[in-house]
Amino acid sequence: MSELQGVIFDMDGVLCDSEPFICEAAMRMFLERYDLRVNPEDFRPFVGAGENRYIGGVADQYGLIIDVESDKARTYAIYLEIIQGRLGPLPGAVDFLRTCRARGLKTAVATSADRMKMDGNLAQIGIAPASFDALVTGSDIEHKKPAPDIFLAAAAKMGLPAGACIVVEDAPNGVEAGKAAGSRVLGLTSSFPAAALREKGADWIAPDLANVPADVLAS
C-alpha cells in the first residue's frame, strides 16, 4: 500500500447522523404526495446509495411510479427544514478532521447525497467546506456506491492515487466502494454492525471518530 496522504470522509453516519432526518423527510414526502405511509425499515437497504435510489428503491417496493427528481427535491426541502437546530456533528468528527489536517493529510468529502444536502449538513454541524481539499457529491458521478467512482473522483480531485487514501464509511455499500477503489477503509458502526462492515472488507472498525484505532493514521 502507498504511504498515507489523504482521508476521504463519507458524510452521513460519519460526520453527522442525518439518516433519521432524511428518513423522516422521505416518509413525509410519500404521505404528502402519494398518500402512502411507508416504514423506516423500508429505506434501510438503500442507505448510502444516494437519494435517487433511497427514494426510488422504496417506491419500487410498493409498486409506485414516482417522479424521482421532483420528489427528491421535495424531500430535500422538508429535510432542510427539519434539521435546523437538530443536526450536530458525530463524536470526534471535528477533532479527527483537525488531526488529519495538522498531520498534513489532504481531506475530502465524498457523499452520495446531492450538493444541497451536503451544504445543509456542513452548515448545521459547523464544518466549513474550505476544511476540505475536495468535495464530491452524488451529482458529480455516474455510478453510485457500491461502485468506486465517488472515491476515485475524490482522490483525483485531491491529486492523489486512491491507494494513498483512507476512506471513512459507515455503510456496507460504502465500504465495498472504498475497497473497490483500492483504498483502505475505516468502518464506523454508527449505522450498521461491525460484522456487516468487515464482510465488505473494512480494514479497521470503530464506533465513531472519537475512538479511532491508533494505527489508522500511522498506516
Side-chain angles (χ1 to χ4, degrees):
M1 282 288 187
S2 304
E3 178 187 356
L4 177 61
Q5 299 178 65
V7 180
I8 304 173
F9 297 87
D10 177 41
M11 184 174 60
D12 300 319
V14 171
L15 299 177
C16 58
D17 185 13
S18 63
E19 177 58 31
F21 302 115
I22 195 66
C23 182
E24 179 185 340
M27 289 174 66
R28 283 172 56 177
M29 182 281 294
F30 276 113
L31 185 61
E32 173 188 299
R33 291 201 157 182
Y34 300 100
D35 197 27
L36 177 66
R37 292 186 183 276
V38 298
N39 304 305
E41 55 268 25
D42 294 335
F43 296 93
R44 196 148 178 83
F46 312 110
V47 171
E51 263 66 58
N52 286 42
R53 186 69 185 131
Y54 189 79
I55 296 167
V58 172
D60 289 345
Q61 289 180 352
Y62 286 88
L64 190 65
I65 298 173
I66 65 171
D67 182 335
V68 173
E69 290 304 320
S70 173
D71 292 340
K72 180 174 65 172
R74 178 58 187 146
T75 300
Y76 278 149
I78 297 169
Y79 172 81
L80 292 173
E81 287 175 13
I82 64 179
I83 63 170
Q84 298 299 314
R86 297 173 67 192
L87 183 69
L90 280 171
V94 174
D95 287 343
F96 186 78
L97 175 60
R98 285 183 183 144
T99 298
C100 291
R101 304 290 293 183
R103 294 192 181 196
L105 298 171
K106 291 188 175 182
T107 56
V109 170
T111 173
S112 296
D114 286 10
R115 180 83 193 211
M116 184 190 306
K117 184 183 178 191
M118 182 188 72
D119 288 344
N121 283 357
L122 291 178
Q124 280 295 303
I125 67 177
I127 298 179
S131 303
F132 302 96
D133 298 285
L135 299 166
V136 183
T137 70
S139 310
D140 300 323
I141 47 108
E142 182 178 355
H143 302 293
K144 305 292 198 296
K145 306 170 191 176
D149 301 35
I150 197 163
F151 296 127
L152 294 172
K157 268 194 163 185
M158 292 191 292
L160 301 175
C165 299
I166 286 175
V167 164
V168 187
E169 262 288 353
D170 71 304
N173 278 336
V175 174
E176 185 176 344
K179 295 302 292 184
S183 302
R184 287 157 287 188
V185 178
L186 167 61
L188 303 184
T189 55
S190 48
S191 305
F192 291 87
L197 304 178
R198 286 198 186 281
E199 183 182 346
K200 294 298 184 180
D203 299 277
W204 303 275
I205 299 290
D208 51 44
L209 287 172
N211 295 279
V212 174
D215 62 331
V216 169
L217 294 184
S219 60

